[in-house]
Amino acid sequence: MSRGRLEAFTDGVIAILITIMILELKVPHGTDWTALSGTVPVLLTYVLSFVYLGIYWSNHHHMLHMTDRVSGGVLWANLHLLFWLSLVPFATSWMGENHYAPVPTALYGAILLLCGFAYFILEKTIIAVQGAGSRLAEAVGSDTKSIFSVALYASAIPLAFLNQTIAHGIYVLVALMWLVPDRRIESRLRRQD
Amino acid sequence: MSRGRLEAFTDGVIAILITIMILELKVPHGTDWTALSGTVPVLLTYVLSFVYLGIYWSNHHHMLHMTDRVSGGVLWANLHLLFWLSLVPFATSWMGENHYAPVPTALYGAILLLCGFAYFILEKTIIAVQGAGSRLAEAVGSDTKSIFSVALYASAIPLAFLNQTIAHGIYVLVALMWLVPDRRIESRLRRQD
Amino acid sequence: MSRGRLEAFTDGVIAILITIMILELKVPHGTDWTALSGTVPVLLTYVLSFVYLGIYWSNHHHMLHMTDRVSGGVLWANLHLLFWLSLVPFATSWMGENHYAPVPTALYGAILLLCGFAYFILEKTIIAVQGAGSRLAEAVGSDTKSIFSVALYASAIPLAFLNQTIAHGIYVLVALMWLVPDRRIESRLRRQD
Amino acid sequence: MSRGRLEAFTDGVIAILITIMILELKVPHGTDWTALSGTVPVLLTYVLSFVYLGIYWSNHHHMLHMTDRVSGGVLWANLHLLFWLSLVPFATSWMGENHYAPVPTALYGAILLLCGFAYFILEKTIIAVQGAGSRLAEAVGSDTKSIFSVALYASAIPLAFLNQTIAHGIYVLVALMWLVPDRRIESRLRRQD
């Protein structure tokens, strides 16, 4: 089974999510700087989610690049990831409009946590299909970076009820940590050339 | 005629449907757990429709994989399927907001029934183009699973006026029945390797 | 220059137009048959536009299939077609909500007329790039069907001010006339095999 | 690393932006010519942004055509461009509704300026990956056209506070200047044949 349609479908869903999220930014009612500056905090939340969706797209791109075979299970693990990613705009809007409310801040972290888990499941499902000695299994290794991210999200959820700024800081930190695409895979690919 | 653009167009339409449906989930007005819990019943209906659209995409993927030739008739049978699938978000919103109302529950079943019929017509159109002894004709066989699904949808429509919970149960049951991608085709593909 | 991205971009735009148009169908406020039956006239207008967009996608698919070379001029002729197609949902909503108003009915015809012209320009631009003796030039011939459609749209615009039902009838008639994909190209392709 | 998914994702995002921007055109409340003529100034702003997004898509198409290798840095430079492009509909709506307000007119220019910069960064990133003597580096040359555009946008921003019509004129002028796809690349490609 080819990976072409899986990539095309995933690209389509992430392209729609990343674009429509920004399109939901409401046009201000006034026409002066005050009206525009009111959209800035909401815009910043959108930038964060844009970066997160970009990270998932970029890492998905790298992971699928090392995937030779796709099974029905991989299709569903991928749809499972897309489901949680599709809730990112919902969590973004809610937190964007209520920056200092604990429940929206915690929900944002919970959705990121579930996206992280779903990505992890997809990775394991793909590796299982490729077989133990596959290039992907080698490149990914023990995946401490993913485990560390999930631990950070998990810590941000209770912290959202104590101090929202710390929780926001953790979300920004994990995004920065992943902004660089998966060097392990890229360096491996370079070694093969 | 190549099947590439047919797949790309179908992927595009289903990706838009599955994504925008979730985006229609309205951000709650409050910022506490009560506000969030109000979205749960609507979310569950979206999950069901997400799974249905995922099933159609996955089965479409498998079916087209065994398709060698595409005709003008296949293009239109495919557009016909996409038309009914594009009404799924409409039926989902209406039922999601009115869980215990008979007409929305019956309409949801009717749209699923029409999607099922449209898929069946597409399958037969593709088989007719491939010729009688094609791999797809063999893999699909008498397709009792499709006929059984259609019978279940048809029974859910009148039941929606008696007991909505039974009708919802039938919708969940058929989804679970199809969640596994078409094993017949997958096992056939494996045998060929 | 390859035609791949031109097809992909066009598929993307038409897939979005055809899908979002249906998504704009508003969920009724009540939960009974009366509430549902109120959406039927709007739905019928959407079906007509769905068929028109399907016709354009299908004919575009056939035309590009006989295209070997793409130039910058073809890209812009294609974007010009996409611009007029992207106004179809606007005209559909306005006419769908005001079936018996002359201006919305005339505008619908005017947009169809402009889409028809834009398709004609794209066809001529592609033929000019392929060269006089190309397969596409031969297959298209004098294109009386397109000229006839444009004449029908042009007649529907003034008729919309006299009798909207006749204008609607013309829109349905032209759609039926084109519902069958371009047989000239398909039969030519078959002869080549 | 292949450029296929980068193109597909970019096509998806630009297709969504260009289409949804037009879909945001609100259906008039009345049904006469006055109601329709009220949408004309908003429509003209959409046409301008449609042309700008078309220019970016077309030039991106030409640039990627000469790109052999894609790196993680190119993925992110491309996402950075898509981010600013995704703010074009926001700036379009705000300026379209407030033609003679200085801040929306200036913001439109600022977003175009940032899109221009982002495209420039993407171009440089791609050239750096291809190596100094690449076909793209040669074809692009010193890129005076891009530098000139950026200078015009930069001049339109302060002018928006003095005379909005002049600022609008500059936006139209730059669009016309770019409407023709990158002849340098096209002529180079022709020479290679």
Side-chain angles (χ1 to χ4, degrees):
Chain A
M1 216 170 298
S2 84
R3 65 173 207 241
R5 274 190 84 179
L6 186 71
E7 290 183 335
F9 188 72
T10 307
D11 285 358
V13 171
I14 299 183
I16 298 162
L17 287 173
I18 214 169
T19 315
I20 290 185
M21 195 173 59
I22 296 290
L23 289 176
E24 280 182 354
L25 199 68
K26 281 166 201 90
V27 172
H29 284 297
T31 61
D32 54 4
W33 291 113
T34 324
L36 187 60
S37 67
T39 64
V40 170
V42 181
L43 183 65
L44 289 177
T45 317
Y46 280 118
V47 172
L48 182 64
S49 296
F50 188 95
V51 169
Y52 266 115
L53 288 172
I55 289 166
Y56 274 102
W57 177 72
S58 168
N59 286 343
H60 193 273
H61 180 111
H62 282 76
M63 183 165 64
L64 265 285
H65 202 78
M66 302 194 96
T67 303
D68 303 309
R69 297 181 63 239
V70 166
S71 70
V74 171
L75 293 191
W76 281 101
N78 196 60
L79 278 167
H80 177 240
L81 170 62
L82 293 179
F83 176 74
W84 292 114
L85 289 177
S86 74
L87 290 181
V88 167
F90 174 83
T92 303
S93 294
W94 207 32
M95 190 174 83
E97 292 168 15
N98 309 283
H99 260 107
Y100 296 105
V103 182
T105 304
L107 182 78
Y108 191 83
I111 297 293
L112 289 182
L113 184 67
L114 288 159
C115 291
F117 266 129
Y119 189 83
F120 192 77
I121 292 170
L122 176 61
E123 199 175 78
K124 294 295 165 211
T125 313
I126 291 178
I127 289 174
V129 172
Q130 313 305 306
S134 72
R135 294 185 297 157
L136 184 63
E138 262 184 76
V140 166
S142 60
D143 209 355
T144 34
K145 199 168 158 192
S146 293
I147 295 163
F148 191 51
S149 306
V150 162
L152 281 170
Y153 297 140
S155 71
I157 297 171
L159 280 168
F161 293 92
L162 299 173
N163 187 321
Q164 292 82 45
T165 310
I166 295 176
H168 296 161
I170 291 173
Y171 303 150
V172 173
L173 184 78
V174 179
L176 290 175
M177 205 172 94
W178 280 100
L179 205 58
V180 182
D182 212 313
R183 292 273 177 228
R184 293 165 301 181
I185 293 182
E186 220 167 299
S187 68
R188 230 202 102 75
L189 283 172
R190 214 167 293 130
R191 249 181 296 143
Q192 286 185 323
D193 292 344
Chain B
M1 215 171 297
S2 84
R3 65 173 207 242
R5 275 191 83 179
L6 186 72
E7 291 182 335
F9 188 72
T10 307
D11 285 359
V13 170
I14 299 182
I16 298 161
L17 287 173
I18 215 169
T19 315
I20 289 184
M21 194 174 60
I22 296 290
L23 289 176
E24 280 182 354
L25 200 68
K26 280 167 201 89
V27 171
H29 284 295
T31 61
D32 55 3
W33 290 113
T34 325
L36 188 61
S37 66
T39 65
V40 171
V42 181
L43 183 65
L44 289 178
T45 317
Y46 280 118
V47 172
L48 182 63
S49 296
F50 188 95
V51 169
Y52 266 115
L53 288 172
I55 289 166
Y56 275 101
W57 177 73
S58 169
N59 285 343
H60 192 274
H61 180 111
H62 281 76
M63 183 165 64
L64 266 283
H65 202 79
M66 303 194 95
T67 302
D68 302 310
R69 297 181 62 239
V70 165
S71 69
V74 171
L75 293 191
W76 280 101
N78 195 60
L79 278 167
H80 177 241
L81 170 63
L82 293 179
F83 176 75
W84 293 114
L85 289 177
S86 74
L87 290 180
V88 167
F90 174 83
T92 304
S93 294
W94 206 31
M95 190 175 83
E97 292 168 15
N98 308 283
H99 260 108
Y100 296 105
V103 182
T105 304
L107 182 78
Y108 191 83
I111 297 292
L112 289 183
L113 183 66
L114 289 159
C115 291
F117 266 128
Y119 190 83
F120 193 77
I121 292 170
L122 175 61
E123 199 175 77
K124 294 296 165 211
T125 311
I126 291 178
I127 289 175
V129 172
Q130 313 306 305
S134 72
R135 294 184 298 156
L136 184 63
E138 262 184 77
V140 166
S142 61
D143 209 355
T144 34
K145 200 169 159 190
S146 293
I147 295 162
F148 191 51
S149 306
V150 161
L152 281 170
Y153 296 140
S155 71
I157 298 171
L159 280 167
F161 293 92
L162 300 173
N163 187 321
Q164 292 80 46
T165 310
I166 295 176
H168 295 161
I170 292 174
Y171 303 149
V172 173
L173 183 77
V174 180
L176 291 175
M177 206 172 95
W178 281 101
L179 204 56
V180 181
D182 212 314
R183 291 273 177 228
R184 293 164 301 179
I185 293 182
E186 220 167 299
S187 68
R188 229 202 102 76
L189 283 172
R190 214 168 292 130
R191 249 180 297 143
Q192 288 184 323
D193 290 345
Chain C
M1 215 171 298
S2 85
R3 64 173 209 243
R5 275 190 83 179
L6 186 72
E7 291 182 336
F9 188 72
T10 307
D11 285 359
V13 170
I14 299 182
I16 298 162
L17 287 173
I18 215 169
T19 315
I20 289 186
M21 195 173 60
I22 296 290
L23 288 176
E24 280 182 354
L25 200 68
K26 281 168 200 88
V27 171
H29 284 296
T31 61
D32 54 4
W33 291 112
T34 324
L36 188 61
S37 66
T39 65
V40 171
V42 181
L43 183 65
L44 289 178
T45 317
Y46 280 119
V47 173
L48 182 63
S49 296
F50 188 96
V51 170
Y52 266 114
L53 288 172
I55 289 166
Y56 274 102
W57 177 72
S58 169
N59 286 342
H60 192 274
H61 180 111
H62 282 75
M63 183 165 63
L64 265 285
H65 202 79
M66 303 194 95
T67 302
D68 302 310
R69 299 180 62 239
V70 165
S71 69
V74 171
L75 293 191
W76 280 101
N78 196 60
L79 277 167
H80 177 241
L81 171 62
L82 294 179
F83 176 74
W84 293 114
L85 289 177
S86 75
L87 290 180
V88 167
F90 173 83
T92 303
S93 295
W94 207 31
M95 189 175 85
E97 291 169 16
N98 308 283
H99 260 107
Y100 296 106
V103 182
T105 304
L107 182 79
Y108 191 83
I111 297 293
L112 289 182
L113 184 66
L114 288 160
C115 291
F117 266 129
Y119 189 83
F120 193 77
I121 292 170
L122 175 61
E123 199 176 77
K124 294 296 166 211
T125 312
I126 292 178
I127 288 174
V129 173
Q130 313 306 304
S134 73
R135 292 186 298 157
L136 183 63
E138 264 184 75
V140 165
S142 59
D143 210 353
T144 34
K145 200 168 158 191
S146 293
I147 295 163
F148 191 51
S149 306
V150 162
L152 281 170
Y153 296 140
S155 71
I157 298 171
L159 280 167
F161 293 92
L162 300 172
N163 188 321
Q164 292 80 46
T165 311
I166 295 176
H168 296 161
I170 291 174
Y171 303 149
V172 173
L173 184 78
V174 179
L176 290 176
M177 206 171 93
W178 280 101
L179 204 56
V180 181
D182 212 314
R183 290 275 177 227
R184 293 164 301 179
I185 293 182
E186 221 167 299
S187 68
R188 230 202 101 76
L189 283 171
R190 214 167 294 128
R191 250 180 296 144
Q192 287 186 322
D193 291 345
Chain D
M1 215 172 298
S2 84
R3 64 173 208 241
R5 274 190 83 180
L6 186 72
E7 292 182 334
F9 188 71
T10 307
D11 286 358
V13 170
I14 298 183
I16 298 161
L17 286 173
I18 215 169
T19 315
I20 289 185
M21 195 173 59
I22 296 290
L23 289 175
E24 280 182 354
L25 199 69
K26 280 167 202 89
V27 172
H29 284 296
T31 61
D32 54 6
W33 291 113
T34 325
L36 188 61
S37 66
T39 65
V40 170
V42 181
L43 183 65
L44 289 178
T45 317
Y46 280 118
V47 172
L48 182 63
S49 296
F50 188 95
V51 169
Y52 266 114
L53 288 172
I55 289 166
Y56 275 102
W57 177 73
S58 169
N59 285 342
H60 192 273
H61 180 112
H62 282 77
M63 183 165 64
L64 266 284
H65 203 78
M66 302 194 95
T67 303
D68 302 309
R69 298 180 62 239
V70 166
S71 69
V74 171
L75 293 191
W76 281 101
N78 195 60
L79 277 167
H80 177 241
L81 171 62
L82 294 179
F83 176 75
W84 293 114
L85 289 178
S86 75
L87 290 181
V88 167
F90 174 83
T92 304
S93 294
W94 207 31
M95 190 174 84
E97 291 168 15
N98 308 283
H99 260 108
Y100 296 104
V103 182
T105 305
L107 182 79
Y108 191 84
I111 297 293
L112 289 183
L113 183 67
L114 289 160
C115 291
F117 266 128
Y119 190 83
F120 192 77
I121 293 169
L122 176 61
E123 200 175 76
K124 294 296 165 209
T125 312
I126 291 178
I127 288 175
V129 172
Q130 313 306 305
S134 73
R135 293 186 297 156
L136 184 63
E138 263 183 76
V140 166
S142 59
D143 210 354
T144 35
K145 200 169 158 190
S146 294
I147 295 163
F148 191 52
S149 306
V150 162
L152 281 171
Y153 296 141
S155 70
I157 298 170
L159 280 166
F161 292 92
L162 299 172
N163 187 321
Q164 292 81 45
T165 310
I166 295 176
H168 295 161
I170 291 173
Y171 303 149
V172 172
L173 184 78
V174 180
L176 290 176
M177 207 171 94
W178 281 100
L179 205 56
V180 181
D182 212 314
R183 291 274 177 226
R184 293 164 301 180
I185 293 181
E186 221 167 298
S187 67
R188 230 203 102 74
L189 284 171
R190 215 168 294 131
R191 249 180 297 144
Q192 288 185 323
D193 290 346

